Structure formats: structure tokens, C-alpha cells
Amino acid sequence: LKRSHYCNKTLLIINFEGVIGDIFRTRYFDKDPESIFFRNGALYGLRLLQRYFTLILTFRCSREKAKQIVSILIQKKVQISAVYSSRTKDIDKFDRNQVKMPKDYGQILADFNQYVT
């Protein structure tokens, strides 16, 4: 959908880690792959919220893990309008236009033409 469609809805900015779910290893020092965990009812709740809000997710994890989580959300019919990552070590690896690094929510608000008065 075009961004203009989302401008009619209120923005809802949600951090994935600790709110919707989390990323963890079974044993901290092991080299086991990280697992993705969604809180009970989170996917249902996001599907309900997407009716009334423009959903924006923020992540602290790596870009690859964020893409994996977004892929799961898409499969589960959750519409996310934008994804932001605040992991600073990723900024040198990727194009600045693809990985947006908001130090605060001001960049997100500007991207959606929302201004605080």
C-alpha cells in the first residue's frame, strides 16, 4: 500500500525486543543459533492493532535477524509499515538509505510527515 494510505492512521511505534518478543540463545556462551520468541498473543494483538494504527517496528538486533522476524510477521498476515534498527555497528555495513538509525523517534515522525506541535 502507498504511504498516503497510512497517513490517515495514528502511528504506533513498537520495539520488538521485550515487547512483542525476543531473541535468545538457550545457553548464553554456546554458539547455538539464536531463537526468535513471540509473546503469547502478540501476533493476534498486532493483527488487531493494524486495523486502527500504522504499525512501525524498531529493533536492536542485527539487520539479518530483523529481516527474519519481519518475514515471519508477513507470513502471519501482520502488516508492518516501516522497520527501523538502532544497532549502531550495522551502519557501516549497509546503505544508509536502507537501514535507518533513529537516535529518537523524530526521524520516524519525519518519514511519515508527522510533526509534534
Side-chain angles (χ1 to χ4, degrees):
L1 296 174
K2 294 182 180 179
R3 184 171 283 183
S4 60
H5 169 76
Y6 295 114
C7 293
N8 296 330
K9 295 180 181 179
T10 302
L11 299 181
L12 181 59
I13 303 168
I14 307 171
N15 186 55
F16 176 79
E17 292 92 344
V19 179
I20 297 172
D22 226 327
I23 301 163
F24 65 93
R25 285 197 172 107
T26 330
R27 287 173 257 156
Y28 185 75
F29 293 107
D30 283 351
K31 298 204 184 234
D32 292 339
E34 295 175 325
S35 297
I36 297 171
F37 164 78
F38 287 92
R39 292 191 181 283
N40 190 22
L43 296 173
Y44 171 79
L46 288 172
R47 283 192 299 271
L48 180 65
L49 290 170
Q50 74 189 10
R51 296 180 192 169
Y52 307 103
F53 297 96
T54 297
L55 298 182
I56 299 168
L57 284 184
T58 62
F59 291 92
R60 292 185 311 260
C61 61
S62 69
R63 182 174 181 208
E64 290 78 21
K65 194 57 73 174
K67 285 172 82 172
Q68 188 178 1
I69 293 165
V70 169
S71 176
I72 293 168
L73 292 172
I74 290 169
Q75 290 173 3
K76 299 293 184 179
K77 309 267 190 252
V78 176
Q79 295 178 343
I80 303 298
S81 301
V83 175
Y84 291 81
S85 174
S86 62
R87 189 165 181 179
T88 55
K89 74 179 193 174
D90 288 339
I91 195 66
D92 295 328
K93 296 181 185 177
F94 306 105
D95 180 7
R96 286 182 184 267
N97 294 326
Q98 292 178 0
V99 179
K100 299 176 183 180
M101 308 295 290
K103 300 228 184 282
D104 59 32
Y105 294 120
Q107 182 61 52
I108 298 172
L109 296 175
D111 288 348
F112 283 84
N113 297 321
Q114 303 289 316
Y115 300 99
V116 179
T117 56

